[in-house]
Amino acid sequence: MTAWFLYKLRYLRTRWESPRLWALCAAILSTAMTLWLAAPSNVLWVDETTGIPNLATLLVAASQTVSGGVYLTLALLWRHSFWEAWPLVRWIMLACPLCVLALTALFVASSTPVERTEDFNTYYADQPTVAVFSLLWLSWVLAGHAVLAYWCFRWTKEPDYAAFPWLRRGLWVYGAYGVDVAMFPLIGIIAILTRRTGVADLDGVYRATAPVVALGGVLLLTAALTLPTFGPKLEPAAAWAARWRLYRRLRTLHRELTHVAPELVYVAPGRRHDPYHRTRRMVLELSDWRWSLAPLFDPEVARLAEQQGRGAGHAGERLAVVVEAAQLRHALERWSRGERGGAGERAGEVRDGALGTELAWWVQVADAFVRCPVVAAVVVTARA
């Protein structure tokens, strides 16, 4: 988080007037400070350096109070313009320092001589001023992040985000971050109340929750704040991976039909690892091989494939795919036995559509060629 803050900080030189960037930098800084101060080794260092037991706990509480307000501000600035968000932002900016002052006053009024790095809230829960301090701190964090989660989940359903899918995803993850962080103060409040009333001792549960929530919060927050910016840059990589998946689905059919005319297979120099080039060449080569096999297409095979395909529930384009795959498998077997047909015996016409349409068609044919039981049954019947 510290490195991320330093990375974002350099943009303030050129976007000094951006409230969103200020809010983002403040959010990252407050989170980084909270994580640094909450580490047990840093807690001991702060307290030993200042000579004030548990001072780091007060600093963590103040940092979390500020970060809760900053995250609400950042969410408002994501959703609204600055002047539309300003009435609510103004109240947040007023409430945060008042809450910090109240926490400071309660801490000063308390007696906490024993250093507690992990369970300060529950260990001193029997002391009224500390109990109020802890409940105020945790209630503020709980309320702030619950409101944050509610806003974000509600905004993801707004129609004006339809044109910004990555911003919508970022808001959803931001809401998930709010839910994650809200779990820690909720369990803390329950642990304090049960400790004071003598109902149960949930100190162990409270201590175990902190590292889990912290790790989940950092991961979710990082994803939420980076998805709107870097998400669109992932789309080319996702499309590249999807095209490789189509290549793998075509590969078996392509390998089988290669025997018809292996000299047609061509991969341009330097394009072997380009899935767009490879699939485009596959479509062209499959169409050429289909044209060579077309004279061997058997009307009886087509009739059987259509009959059994309808019996299996196939219809429309899916039925046409099954018939095409069956014809190709049967014709390929005849070709492998040395049979050839004349140009005048070609059955039907070669499809000649746009590349995207042809690619989708051949992917379906390839799947049926390999996996469709109707195709296998028809070929066995025709072979007999």
Side-chain angles (χ1 to χ4, degrees), residues 56-77:
T57 301
L58 173 63
L59 298 178
V60 169
S63 296
Q64 281 197 319
T65 300
V66 172
S67 67
V70 170
Y71 286 129
L72 288 176
T73 301
L74 182 60
L76 286 169
L77 293 175

Side-chain angles (χ1 to χ4, degrees), residues 90-264:
R90 181 176 54 189
W91 282 108
I92 293 171
M93 293 178 65
L94 177 64
C96 277
L98 290 177
C99 186
V100 172
L101 288 175
L103 291 173
T104 304
L106 288 166
F107 182 83
V108 171
S110 303
S111 176
T112 57
V114 180
E115 188 71 51
R116 307 301 299 184
T117 59
E118 298 180 0
D119 59 349
F120 174 88
N121 294 325
T122 52
Y123 182 83
Y124 288 109
D126 295 330
Q127 190 175 153
T129 52
V130 176
V132 174
F133 168 89
S134 300
L135 291 174
L136 175 61
W137 164 23
L138 297 176
S139 297
W140 172 273
V141 176
L142 174 62
H145 287 85
V147 171
L148 174 66
Y150 171 75
W151 282 351
C152 291
F153 288 141
R154 189 186 70 181
W155 292 340
T156 57
K157 300 177 182 178
E158 296 291 335
D160 51 348
Y161 281 111
F164 305 98
W166 285 105
L167 182 56
R168 186 194 297 269
R169 295 183 185 108
L171 281 173
W172 193 94
V173 178
Y174 203 22
Y177 161 78
V179 173
D180 174 83
V181 175
M183 294 303 297
F184 174 69
L186 177 61
I187 294 175
I189 291 171
I190 294 173
I192 292 170
L193 294 178
T194 55
R195 178 71 173 267
R196 286 189 62 83
T197 57
V199 174
D201 185 0
L202 300 178
D203 192 32
V205 176
Y206 178 58
R207 288 200 307 269
T209 304
V212 177
V213 169
L215 178 60
V218 169
L219 295 176
L220 288 171
L221 180 62
T222 303
L225 298 183
T226 55
L227 274 178
T229 301
F230 294 100
K233 299 177 182 179
L234 297 176
E235 292 181 354
W240 184 84
R243 186 56 66 97
W244 272 121
R245 289 193 294 271
L246 294 180
Y247 168 82
R248 287 196 297 270
R249 291 170 67 182
L250 287 171
R251 186 168 54 183
T252 301
L253 175 61
H254 185 268
R255 186 183 297 120
E256 292 293 328
L257 296 189
T258 299
H259 303 293
V260 175
E263 66 277 4
L264 294 179

